[in-house]
Amino acid sequence: MTANSIYGSYIRVPTSAFNDGDPVDVANVRDGLVNNAIHLADECAQVRVNAVFATGSYAKSGDFSTGTHIVSQFGPFPITLRPDGTSYRLRTRFLVRSANGVSVTFHVVLAPPSLAIDGFAREGTNYAKFSVTSTTETWTAPAALLYMDTGVVNASFSPPISTPTAIGEATTTSVVAAQAILTVYATQASAANARLSGAYAAEFVG
Amino acid sequence: MTASVPVFPQYPAQFFVRAGEVVKGLTAQNVGATAMFASSRGAQLIPCFTPGDLSVPIAASATAYFKFRTQPRYQAFNRIWTLLGRSDANVVQQVTVAAPISGGTDRVYYAGTTRDNIAPFAYNEFLAAQSASTTTLTFKVANASGANFFIDSIGCFEAPRLNLDLSVSADGAVDLQTLSHRQPIYEATAKSLKGVSEAIVVARDAARRVGMFQHAWPIITGSELTQVFNTTSTSPIKIFETAAGTGVARTPFFLGRRMRRSSISGADVLTINVAVLGHVTGGSGDVIFTMANGATTTLNVTTSGATFGGTGAGSWTAGTIDIDTEDLAASDGLLGSTWDSCTIEARKNTSGTLYIAAISMWEGT
């Protein structure tokens, strides 16, 4: 069970249940306040990437013949955080193939832009890899859900986001948000054969 | 007076709320803070996507418009547009970005050359007024340099709110001090337990998974129809296909919020909005959405505006479709271990051409 709330759903309790003069019913508080607040937080997860490329179109690491290079990047975007300081999990899928049937290893990193390479090197919870040899493009999901641990989250608050002090105001203040970018690398032994035609990354409270 | 929006949710302790126990002030404070977290940390309005055909650039000196239909959260003061692009020449490329197209302040993005050395760009769009009305978002990319410009990713999200206004009921704020130990329970806007219950109702609508799928093709100023999707086929063809003529669809994925208990009929389904920005030459055209769960809807495009509204919103054709909801009993949230996907097709009903500049799918209220 991944739901943190009691029922794993929203329970309708009228706001009039908390009017003046009414006794505070413990069931109303449990269902209508405690359960609902936690459930809404669980389900405020957002879809961060949902890309299918136009017909026949694909991204490739074609600038170099062999080695490991970036195939595509998506973002940056904010990441929702859990009470334990880690990020919501990311359910990911990638539409990939090999152009010539020679094995390609794709590496996926969820990290602040400045730490994409670092995330690749650490191979932590925000990193996944999978290999493809088929020339038929197929949606492929990494074995595990990706997420940023507290160390990566801590590094992801900078820079803060500038925001108006009030609606319509020109004066600004700043608000912190964990931000990340999803980077897809490919390691290829053959000349530029990695192909990416779609990507999906949606938050899940996990 | 304002109430702070927490960066992390503050889950109330459920075991404190049971028969024979008093409801503690701390529990109520945590409920209020968690409701404000859910409603006010900002929505992803446009999930990141790759526009149009990656092999077709925004040419030198060309200006591209992108349009999206959605329903933002009322809480937002500003939204952040993100752009990742690159040049095909061995130079740092200068492009001008603005949102909205009309009235947005131009800012310059210096793009790199290969994907290994490009940096993301963030454009901060300040809003004139708070609104949760369905609207069209617009984004401009003007290629000011002499080389081609390729776009790898566009996205847009709302900036989180730092504080909510206790005097604006639609903000969904709660004065947490009124929930402290030994405070009286009373009825007033944004205060005490009634205020908490009202904040939860606000959060129910606001904490939507707003952007489900957005895809926009570049609308090139002066030659608007050249880079958008088009078909003359009178039988449905896949809009996103592995290769032209194969009939093998590329399908985006969907999982919505679960808002009903599993025992209630309809708990596995969420209705979301769909809209297309289209244009036809003569008669009408259809855009057909078919979910893997069996739901389907057809949008009939009759608009004849060949510029898709120019710098304005454009004329959209809209409907709704049912998607799967998340299964919170599953380790990955998938309902029945399946990925609910959408096949999107188009056809022209008579002779002529159907053009599509944008497809938008979002959760509304």
Side-chain angles (χ1 to χ4, degrees), chain A residues 1-16 18-20 24-26 29-30 32-34 36-64 68-78 80-86 88 91-93 95 97 113 137 139 141 145 153 157 161-179 181 185 196-197 199-200 203-206, chain B residues 7-14 17-19 21 23 27 30-31 34-35 37-38 41-50 52-55 73 76-78 80 82-84 113-116 118 120-121 124 126-130 152-153 157-162 185-187 193-194 196-198 200-201 203-204 207-215 217 238-245 250-262 326-334 339:
Chain A
M1 188 74 178
T2 49
N4 293 294
S5 64
I6 301 164
Y7 301 108
S9 66
Y10 186 86
I11 307 295
R12 286 186 181 274
V13 174
T15 58
S16 58
F18 302 96
N19 282 353
D20 262 351
V24 177
D25 182 84
V26 73
V29 173
R30 180 194 61 201
L33 301 186
V34 173
N36 284 350
I38 297 175
H39 180 69
L40 291 172
D42 276 0
E43 288 287 64
C44 72
Q46 301 291 304
V47 181
R48 299 303 183 184
V49 180
N50 202 356
V52 285
F53 294 10
T55 295
S57 180
Y58 55 82
K60 61 177 181 177
S61 55
D63 301 313
F64 305 91
T68 301
H69 300 284
I70 292 174
V71 179
S72 196
Q73 288 183 300
F74 301 93
F77 44 78
T80 309
L81 300 178
R82 307 195 327 172
D84 63 4
T86 66
Y88 275 44
R91 197 168 38 224
T92 58
R93 271 189 125 181
L95 187 58
R97 67 183 169 95
E137 65 182 28
W139 282 104
L145 302 178
V153 165
F157 287 122
I161 295 171
S162 181
T163 190
T165 52
I167 190 69
E169 289 286 335
T171 54
T172 62
T173 182
S174 59
V175 59
V176 294
Q179 294 177 73
I181 194 165
Y185 298 86
L196 176 79
S197 309
Y200 173 77
E203 291 175 348
F204 176 58
V205 68
Chain B
V7 177
F8 300 87
Q10 297 168 15
Y11 290 167
Q14 299 169 14
V17 186
R18 58 187 177 186
E21 292 278 350
V23 176
T27 302
N30 286 341
V31 169
T34 300
F37 166 86
R41 290 299 300 169
Q44 185 83 29
L45 300 175
I46 301 169
C48 299
F49 75 101
T50 303
D53 189 334
L54 254 182
S55 64
R73 293 182 182 180
F77 279 179
N78 57 318
I80 312 295
T82 60
L83 174 66
L84 274 162
T113 53
T114 68
R115 290 191 172 98
D116 284 322
I118 61 175
F121 177 75
N124 200 333
F126 286 15
L127 305 178
Q130 288 178 259
D152 276 3
S153 171
F157 61 89
E158 294 167 337
R161 283 283 294 277
L162 188 61
I185 295 175
Y186 62 106
E187 196 178 327
L193 278 185
K194 179 71 177 284
V196 174
S197 68
E198 289 171 340
I200 283 178
V201 172
R204 182 192 63 198
R208 288 171 283 126
R209 199 164 291 179
V210 180
M212 302 301 293
F213 173 70
Q214 298 272 2
H215 190 100
W217 286 261
K238 311 286 193 295
I239 291 180
F240 303 102
E241 215 172 353
T242 55
R250 290 172 171 171
T251 54
F253 295 102
F254 297 85
L255 268 183
R257 289 193 299 167
R258 174 170 290 256
M259 295 303 280
R260 297 175 183 161
R261 297 185 73 169
S262 299
E326 232 163 35
D327 181 358
L328 289 168
S331 60
D332 55 6
L334 294 177
W339 296 79

Side-chain angles (χ1 to χ4, degrees), chain B residues 76-362:
Chain B
F77 279 179
N78 57 318
R79 54 180 76 112
I80 312 295
W81 293 83
T82 60
L83 174 66
L84 274 162
R86 64 202 154 79
S87 165
D88 69 349
N90 192 24
V91 292
V92 172
Q93 178 128 359
Q94 180 178 323
V95 295
T96 304
V97 177
I101 296 167
S102 178
T105 303
D106 284 350
R107 285 188 55 206
V108 175
Y109 169 41
Y110 297 97
T113 53
T114 68
R115 290 191 172 98
D116 284 322
N117 64 8
I118 61 175
F121 177 75
Y123 183 95
N124 200 333
E125 179 188 0
F126 286 15
L127 305 178
Q130 288 178 259
S131 173
S133 299
T134 301
T135 189
T136 299
L137 308 183
T138 61
F139 187 59
K140 178 185 81 173
V141 177
N143 185 356
S145 70
N148 290 326
F149 181 64
F150 296 87
I151 299 175
D152 276 3
S153 171
I154 291 176
C156 180
F157 61 89
E158 294 167 337
R161 283 283 294 277
L162 188 61
N163 302 298
L164 296 177
D165 193 331
L166 289 166
S167 64
V168 179
S169 59
D171 258 7
V174 185
D175 184 349
L176 298 183
Q177 290 186 4
T178 64
L179 298 160
S180 300
H181 183 55
R182 294 202 179 282
Q183 288 290 310
I185 295 175
Y186 62 106
E187 196 178 327
T189 300
K191 297 183 189 301
S192 198
L193 278 185
K194 179 71 177 284
V196 174
S197 68
E198 289 171 340
I200 283 178
V201 172
V202 169
R204 182 192 63 198
D205 286 343
R208 288 171 283 126
R209 199 164 291 179
V210 180
M212 302 301 293
F213 173 70
Q214 298 272 2
H215 190 100
W217 286 261
I219 303 169
I220 305 296
T221 304
S223 50
E224 284 78 4
L225 303 179
T226 54
Q227 289 193 31
V228 302
F229 173 85
N230 70 86
T231 183
T232 57
S233 173
T234 53
S235 54
I237 65 161
K238 311 286 193 295
I239 291 180
F240 303 102
E241 215 172 353
T242 55
T246 60
V248 180
R250 290 172 171 171
T251 54
F253 295 102
F254 297 85
L255 268 183
R257 289 193 299 167
R258 174 170 290 256
M259 295 303 280
R260 297 175 183 161
R261 297 185 73 169
S262 299
S263 56
I264 296 175
S265 175
D268 294 345
V269 167
L270 178 76
T271 301
I272 65 167
N273 300 281
V274 294
V276 296
L277 180 60
H279 157 69
V280 285
T281 54
S284 68
D286 289 334
V287 181
I288 305 153
F289 298 80
T290 306
M291 300 300 303
N293 67 18
T296 184
T297 194
T298 299
L299 302 182
N300 183 242
V301 178
T302 58
T303 309
S304 57
T307 62
F308 302 105
T311 58
S315 181
W316 293 75
T317 307
T320 61
I321 196 167
D322 288 346
I323 64 170
D324 280 359
T325 56
E326 232 163 35
D327 181 358
L328 289 168
S331 60
D332 55 6
L334 294 177
L335 185 66
S337 301
T338 58
W339 296 79
D340 195 17
S341 60
C342 187
T343 300
I344 308 172
E345 299 171 292
R347 69 173 167 224
K348 183 70 181 66
N349 290 328
T350 54
S351 61
T353 307
L354 167 65
Y355 299 89
I356 299 169
I359 297 172
S360 295
M361 303 175 77
W362 72 98

